[in-house]
Amino acid sequence: NLNGGNLKLASLNNQGGQFFWNSGTVEFSQNAILDNGLLNTLVGSAHALENGQYLKASSGKTFIVGPTNFAVDGGQIHTSNFTNVGTTAVNKGSVTASGQFLNDVQGAFVIQNLGQTNFAGGVINNGSFQLASAAAKSSGGIFTNNGTLSGRGRLQHQLQNNGIMAINAGDHLINDNGANMSTNANQI
């Protein structure tokens, strides 16, 4: 049972045991692939990181969400780099990367409700990136969109659009990036 403490691991290979993470920090000292097996062990079959759960990667390390569903439902993620090749929803809570966020071609990344992200090293979106509520916010370095960027919410990045931006009737996608100029080379 992890009840508010700190657990630091190089990796976790479940051999049929049980892991109860009620609250506290789980830190990986090596790159970690958050796939079905690891997520089932850490947060259960719902694959939801909840209030009081803090998932961390040591300095210079990367979290990769494998081809699976994953939700941040009140918990927090802090990593150097973050790669999404699955379906990740930040419903509430936060994802922070001091380096870069890569949303790969097959990746679907959704920020909704009170979810927030900060990608200091910027974003490369080759898949689908959606801000799905007025309170949803993503901030950080340059956001390079080569895929589809859609929805409503706040995008606090310098935006370089090489893909598609889809803003539907009633949606307000606010690109609030201070004095930095955004550019469009494709389709809005």
Side-chain angles (χ1 to χ4, degrees):
N1 289 342
L2 182 57
N3 292 310
N6 297 303
L7 176 63
K8 187 171 185 177
L9 309 164
S11 64
L12 180 60
N13 185 4
N14 190 345
Q15 299 293 313
Q18 293 182 321
F19 180 78
F20 297 102
W21 183 9
N22 300 311
S23 64
T25 301
V26 174
E27 178 178 354
F28 285 89
S29 61
Q30 300 296 318
N31 295 336
I33 298 174
L34 305 174
D35 59 9
N36 282 325
L38 183 56
L39 289 171
N40 284 342
T41 298
L42 286 176
V43 295
S45 61
H47 295 180
L49 188 69
E50 298 179 347
N51 288 328
Q53 295 175 327
Y54 182 65
L55 185 60
K56 182 178 178 183
S58 295
S59 180
K61 301 305 175 192
T62 299
F63 281 133
I64 300 168
V65 175
T68 190
N69 294 322
F70 178 51
V72 178
D73 276 332
Q76 297 179 34
I77 296 176
H78 183 76
T79 182
S80 291
N81 297 296
F82 191 92
T83 297
N84 182 54
V85 295
T87 300
T88 299
V90 183
N91 300 320
K92 55 184 178 178
S94 63
V95 176
T96 301
S98 58
Q100 191 173 72
F101 170 67
L102 170 64
N103 191 38
D104 211 358
V105 173
Q106 66 272 34
F109 193 83
V110 179
I111 306 169
Q112 55 195 2
N113 302 323
L114 298 175
Q116 306 221 345
T117 63
N118 183 291
F119 303 119
V123 172
I124 296 176
N125 177 44
N126 295 323
S128 172
F129 190 104
Q130 181 182 21
L131 293 160
S133 74
K137 181 175 88 169
S138 181
S139 61
I142 295 172
F143 188 113
T144 303
N145 181 43
N146 302 314
T148 301
L149 172 62
S150 64
R152 57 183 192 239
R154 281 190 141 13
L155 191 67
Q156 295 179 322
H157 298 269
Q158 179 181 348
L159 176 63
Q160 294 179 342
N161 184 42
N162 305 313
I164 297 170
M165 289 181 64
I167 298 115
N168 296 319
D171 287 346
H172 298 278
L173 181 61
I174 300 168
N175 184 215
D176 180 12
N177 61 13
N180 297 316
M181 180 179 283
S182 293
T183 60
N184 178 46
N186 199 359
Q187 176 182 337
I188 297 178

